[in-house]
Amino acid sequence: MDTARQLDTTYKAQPPMEASKPDTATRILDVAERLFVEHGFEATSLRMITQQAEVNLAAVNYHFGSKDALFESVFMRRLTPLIAACLAELDGMEAQFGTLTPEQLVMAFIRPCLALSKDPSRGGALFVRLLSRTLVENHRLLRETLSQQYSVFVQRFGKAFHRALPALGQEDLAWRMHFAFSVMFNAFAGNDVLKIFVRSQIVSARDPDMIVKHLVPFVVAGLTSPPLR
Amino acid sequence: MDTARQLDTTYKAQPPMEASKPDTATRILDVAERLFVEHGFEATSLRMITQQAEVNLAAVNYHFGSKDALFESVFMRRLTPLIAACLAELDGMEAQFGTLTPEQLVMAFIRPCLALSKDPSRGGALFVRLLSRTLVENHRLLRETLSQQYSVFVQRFGKAFHRALPALGQEDLAWRMHFAFSVMFNAFAGNDVLKIFVRSQIVSARDPDMIVKHLVPFVVAGLTSPPLR
DNA sequence: GTCTATACCGTGATAGAC
DNA sequence: GTCTATCACGGTATAGAC
């Protein structure tokens, strides 16, 4: 078919009615992303993915190697730019303000997350949920890949936090960063820990701006409380 | 075999060398608990469980109905007493001190968790990890069961928090409780959000007392920060 | 290089004999 | 209560078509 089009370009160079299909690998990624978000990793079968993507079952293993590797690809396609955006935001704010306040630091991380959650073309709010949930759940598939690729992120933010909170010792600071990112990832994951027990209409509001409005003061208060001892 | 023993009780009423085996259902529960903690739910097959428990494969479905229901049983065997212990702790402290401080409230929840994590006969630290991780991950298997059975827990603690933090509005309070329990469950889950990125020897310390020492001030600071607006 | 059809083995579940 | 046999479905590997 491609050769035919090349030979006779007058005969519809692009099929007019048929929406220009992305290539096989991209179709798989798009469908897999949606299904992983909707049903979770385990509950999504390769046969569901390949059927909706209109590709052969074996195409997944050909292009990605395994279901695990496919998940990693789906995940990294979004996370890599997000991490870069966070680092850029941090650099930009430090260039503008010098040493940042804890609140500014928290916002340097949160703002790109908010932007991503409002951009449907990059997965939108649903993907932020998948992303956060995967980080919170400490997914076996991502432990090695992430620690190799994104140690810069923690080192960079770690230094910034150390400058913003000079009164804290190394150990104290490490714990607080750990807790702070726990809350933030959990908030974006949208898993209402308390809604498991009782339906709380208030907290289950999915509006990201609403989350941030309450989240930031909580985290900043925890970070800036008096040093231990 | 049972009939033989009943007819001739002189012939070893209890086999002497053989350690008295718990019944089938209990053996399944014990082995399943250990394997679920070690390998996770999906990675643990019924064939692994029944083999180590020395029971037939079909015994699981006979006694529990399904793998999902087995997980629920494993889980509830530990969670039900834990919830009861938290409520008892709260009642006891209120009887002693009247209206509690936010720190006392947090401790009313944390102390029973600590006790459980130090009791190997009830699953110990490993089970607390499974429990917290399951809550954090918002496991599909537990959503309905939990919200039905344990709404008392949130209602009871909600009232106590409301009395301890009278300056906060309903909405503000709900968010802060949500964040507070997020951090606490996450801490006990032992999923170091930051260790995903970089190996932090400091935070990865699994000593529960160490966790609490840093966790409580962080949570209390977040809870007691000035009301919004 | 890409894609397809198909076979393989492990999984959870279940019916029916004992 | 327990066991055997069998089922449909899961991820994966591979041989071969284009």
Side-chain angles (χ1 to χ4, degrees):
Chain A
M1 295 214 293
D2 278 335
T3 16
R5 279 214 292 270
Q6 278 170 3
L7 291 178
D8 181 8
T9 49
T10 62
Y11 177 67
K12 42 173 184 174
Q14 290 284 355
M17 277 302 131
E18 185 185 354
S20 65
K21 262 192 196 170
D23 63 0
T24 303
T26 308
R27 284 214 308 283
I28 294 176
L29 280 176
D30 289 338
V31 172
E33 174 174 283
R34 184 168 49 79
L35 293 180
F36 283 154
V37 171
E38 283 174 8
H39 309 114
F41 177 74
E42 309 286 354
T44 304
S45 71
L46 291 183
R47 285 168 175 85
M48 290 167 60
I49 296 172
T50 52
Q51 196 172 334
Q52 295 197 24
E54 296 176 63
V55 299
N56 187 271
L57 170 63
V60 171
N61 274 330
Y62 174 76
H63 284 282
F64 299 96
S66 68
K67 189 187 177 187
D68 286 8
L70 169 63
F71 182 75
E72 212 175 282
S73 297
V74 166
F75 196 83
M76 289 305 170
R77 184 168 66 145
R78 307 300 188 195
L79 184 61
T80 305
L82 177 62
I83 297 276
C86 289
L87 293 178
E89 182 79 19
L90 183 54
D91 287 340
M93 291 183 71
E94 284 192 339
Q96 190 177 354
F97 299 107
T99 296
L100 302 181
T101 66
E103 182 171 349
Q104 287 174 317
L105 261 177
V106 168
M107 287 310 297
F109 168 72
I110 283 188
R111 243 192 300 267
C113 296
L114 265 184
L116 175 56
S117 85
K118 288 176 179 171
D119 183 352
S121 74
R122 288 186 294 154
L126 279 181
F127 181 78
V128 174
R129 280 198 64 182
L130 174 66
L131 193 151
S132 306
R133 225 187 314 167
T134 309
L135 289 176
V136 167
E137 291 174 13
N138 198 11
H139 228 284
R140 72 195 155 82
L141 312 174
L142 298 170
R143 268 190 286 255
E144 287 187 6
T145 317
L146 282 180
S147 63
Q148 286 167 6
Q149 285 192 261
Y150 296 108
S151 62
V152 233
F153 175 86
V154 169
Q155 285 172 7
R156 182 76 184 77
F157 269 85
K159 277 178 193 159
F161 271 103
H162 182 62
R163 283 202 293 165
L165 298 162
L168 300 182
Q170 284 287 345
E171 188 185 335
D172 216 350
L173 183 64
W175 280 100
R176 292 183 193 208
M177 282 186 65
H178 171 61
F179 295 141
F181 279 96
S182 289
V183 204
M184 292 193 283
F185 281 130
N186 242 300
F188 283 117
N191 293 341
D192 296 336
V193 189
L194 292 185
K195 220 184 67 183
I196 297 177
F197 298 95
V198 69
R199 309 240 163 254
S200 159
Q201 271 86 4
I202 302 171
V203 178
S204 66
R206 284 271 179 270
D207 177 16
D209 293 310
M210 206 57 149
I211 296 177
V212 172
K213 180 183 143 195
H214 290 88
L215 177 62
V216 175
F218 186 95
V219 171
V220 171
L223 287 170
T224 57
S225 72
L228 282 188
R229 262 169 304 248
Chain B
M1 295 212 293
D2 278 334
T3 17
R5 279 214 291 270
Q6 279 169 1
L7 292 178
D8 180 10
T9 49
T10 62
Y11 176 69
K12 43 175 184 172
Q14 288 286 352
M17 277 303 131
E18 186 183 352
S20 65
K21 263 192 197 170
D23 63 359
T24 303
T26 308
R27 284 213 307 282
I28 293 176
L29 280 176
D30 289 337
V31 172
E33 174 173 284
R34 184 168 48 77
L35 292 180
F36 283 155
V37 172
E38 284 173 9
H39 309 114
F41 177 74
E42 308 285 354
T44 304
S45 70
L46 291 183
R47 285 166 175 84
M48 291 167 60
I49 296 172
T50 53
Q51 197 172 335
Q52 295 197 23
E54 297 176 62
V55 299
N56 187 271
L57 170 62
V60 170
N61 275 325
Y62 175 77
H63 284 283
F64 299 96
S66 69
K67 188 188 177 187
D68 286 8
L70 169 62
F71 182 75
E72 212 175 282
S73 298
V74 166
F75 195 83
M76 288 306 171
R77 184 167 67 144
R78 307 298 187 195
L79 184 62
T80 306
L82 177 63
I83 298 275
C86 289
L87 293 178
E89 182 80 17
L90 182 55
D91 288 340
M93 290 183 72
E94 284 192 339
Q96 189 177 356
F97 300 107
T99 296
L100 303 181
T101 66
E103 181 171 349
Q104 287 174 318
L105 262 176
V106 168
M107 287 310 297
F109 168 73
I110 284 188
R111 241 191 302 265
C113 297
L114 264 184
L116 175 56
S117 86
K118 287 176 179 172
D119 184 352
S121 73
R122 288 187 294 155
L126 279 181
F127 181 78
V128 174
R129 281 199 63 183
L130 173 66
L131 192 152
S132 306
R133 226 188 313 167
T134 309
L135 289 175
V136 167
E137 291 174 13
N138 199 9
H139 227 284
R140 72 197 156 81
L141 312 174
L142 299 169
R143 269 191 286 254
E144 287 186 6
T145 317
L146 282 180
S147 62
Q148 286 167 5
Q149 285 193 260
Y150 296 107
S151 62
V152 233
F153 175 87
V154 168
Q155 286 172 6
R156 182 75 184 78
F157 269 84
K159 276 176 194 162
F161 271 103
H162 182 63
R163 283 203 293 165
L165 299 162
L168 300 180
Q170 283 286 346
E171 188 186 335
D172 215 350
L173 183 64
W175 281 100
R176 291 182 194 208
M177 282 186 64
H178 171 62
F179 295 141
F181 280 95
S182 289
V183 205
M184 292 193 283
F185 282 131
N186 243 299
F188 283 117
N191 294 340
D192 296 336
V193 189
L194 291 185
K195 219 185 70 183
I196 297 178
F197 298 94
V198 69
R199 309 239 162 253
S200 158
Q201 270 86 6
I202 302 171
V203 178
S204 68
R206 284 270 179 269
D207 178 18
D209 294 311
M210 205 58 149
I211 295 177
V212 172
K213 180 181 144 196
H214 290 88
L215 177 62
V216 175
F218 186 95
V219 170
V220 170
L223 286 171
T224 56
S225 73
L228 281 188
R229 262 169 305 248

